[in-house]
Amino acid sequence: MLDNTLKDGKGITITFDASSAVALDLDPTSITPPALDGGDGIDTTTLSNDEYRTKEPGALIDIPSGSMTVAYDPMAYDATGDIPALINTNGLITYTFPNDDTVAFYGFLKSFTPGELVEGEMPTAEIEIVITNVDDAGDETAPVWTTG
């Protein structure tokens, strides 16, 4: 087992630095950090293959969207509020894990989707975060990992 393996998800946080004037004020109930995905193999099968299809790995890594479920204030709809200011605004997004390690990606808030309101249940909304890997200067930028 790795020395720094997480034992509990409690304590993970996410910070949007798209604008110093915007401090997203939502209370997450769960956070799903972005994944790393090498994509499908490249089919290299030819008519000279005897028994098996062959594949090669791709050269690029995709970082699919992250998400979180949050408790929210209906004020999130306010045109001058945090949510509208962050939607489609590229910036640095930092995940801080319970062990204080961090990983920062460039990306933007894609969507804020409230769930069904049901008597006896806490209202929540789903938030989707798109990772762009492009910094403010327009350069390709890898995620930055920092040990806590």
Side-chain angles (χ1 to χ4, degrees), residues 20-144:
S20 58
V22 177
L24 189 61
D25 190 20
L26 297 169
D27 197 5
T29 60
S30 67
I31 296 176
T32 303
L36 299 174
D37 186 343
D40 293 332
I42 299 167
D43 189 348
T44 57
T45 307
T46 67
L47 295 177
S48 62
N49 283 68
D50 292 324
E51 193 172 346
Y52 297 100
R53 292 190 167 279
T54 53
K55 296 178 182 140
E56 289 291 324
L60 302 175
I61 298 172
D62 185 25
I63 302 177
S65 299
S67 64
M68 63 180 168
T69 302
V70 298
Y72 69 97
D73 182 329
M75 183 73 143
Y77 288 103
D78 182 9
T80 63
D82 298 342
I83 299 294
L86 286 171
I87 288 181
N88 293 337
T89 301
N90 193 56
L92 196 61
I93 301 169
T94 304
Y95 291 79
T96 303
F97 292 90
N99 63 359
D100 290 328
D101 287 358
T102 64
V103 62
F105 305 89
Y106 276 91
F108 63 91
L109 181 65
K110 175 188 174 199
S111 62
F112 168 83
T113 308
E116 180 180 21
L117 299 176
V118 178
E119 188 278 323
E121 295 180 15
M122 179 175 68
T124 59
E126 294 296 318
I127 289 181
E128 185 175 352
I129 299 152
V130 173
I131 305 305
T132 63
N133 298 315
V134 177
D135 68 12
D136 296 334
D139 297 323
E140 180 180 337
T141 305
V144 176

